[in-house]
Amino acid sequence: MPGSDRARGARLSPCPKSDYTDARRTSSFARKSEDMASSILILNGPNLNMLGRREPGIYGRASLDDIRDACVQKATALGLSADFRQSNHEGELVGWIQEAAGRFDGIIINAAAYTHTSVALRDALLAVALPAIEVHLSNIHAREDFRRHSYLGPAVRGMVAGFGAQSYLLAIDAIAHILNETTD
Ligand code: DHK
């Protein structure tokens, strides 16, 4: 829904509590930490609100709302709650990362173009020191040279790129694995 409050906005929908609670009863991840809910922050950078109509040959036909819904569903199935947000503003993304300390257990970030420019996002991720995973829809190593360098690389546990919307779901699997190890 490009242009809508949800696509443009600060806070897209968090995992509904009732779904989340049901998922915790059934997932093996959740059984290991019955009384500790893990929550992840999924951040999206500039122009990702235009997914679906933006260069679909590169970024696919799924809208950001489609990706959000798939992420919330995936996270819920793994017993995680997910807060999915998008901003076109670097400072807003920095603020959300700073606020994540103490509120979230991990971060998944597609910083989009800021991946290749932002020392501020890198420093924010290093400052909060939460486990973080970098995500890209496209294979940034198979495109223009300037996309091959990520400023976020040293601040994240790993990167998933090139699988379209599936990159986000693979990253949720990865962060669930990391958080599961952390709670062992
Ligand atoms: C998205 C963007 O907007 C680009 O600026 C990045 C990334 C790649 C992606 O593939 O998700 O270079």
Side-chain angles (χ1 to χ4, degrees), residues 108-184:
I108 291 172
I109 181 164
N110 183 352
Y114 290 143
T115 303
H116 319 294
T117 63
S118 181
V119 177
L121 287 176
R122 173 202 187 118
D123 286 352
L125 288 168
L126 289 170
V128 298
L130 289 168
I133 297 178
E134 178 178 346
V135 163
H136 300 286
L137 295 149
S138 64
N139 178 356
I140 58 172
H141 296 287
R143 301 181 60 192
E144 301 97 323
D145 279 350
F146 69 85
R147 294 186 202 276
R148 299 186 70 173
H149 178 256
S150 167
Y151 277 95
L152 307 191
V156 296
R157 295 282 188 96
M159 190 227 285
V160 185
F163 301 102
Q166 187 72 18
S167 291
Y168 285 77
L169 306 185
L170 293 168
I172 293 172
D173 269 328
I175 203 118
H177 183 71
I178 290 168
L179 296 177
N180 202 17
E181 282 181 336
T182 308
T183 56
D184 277 344

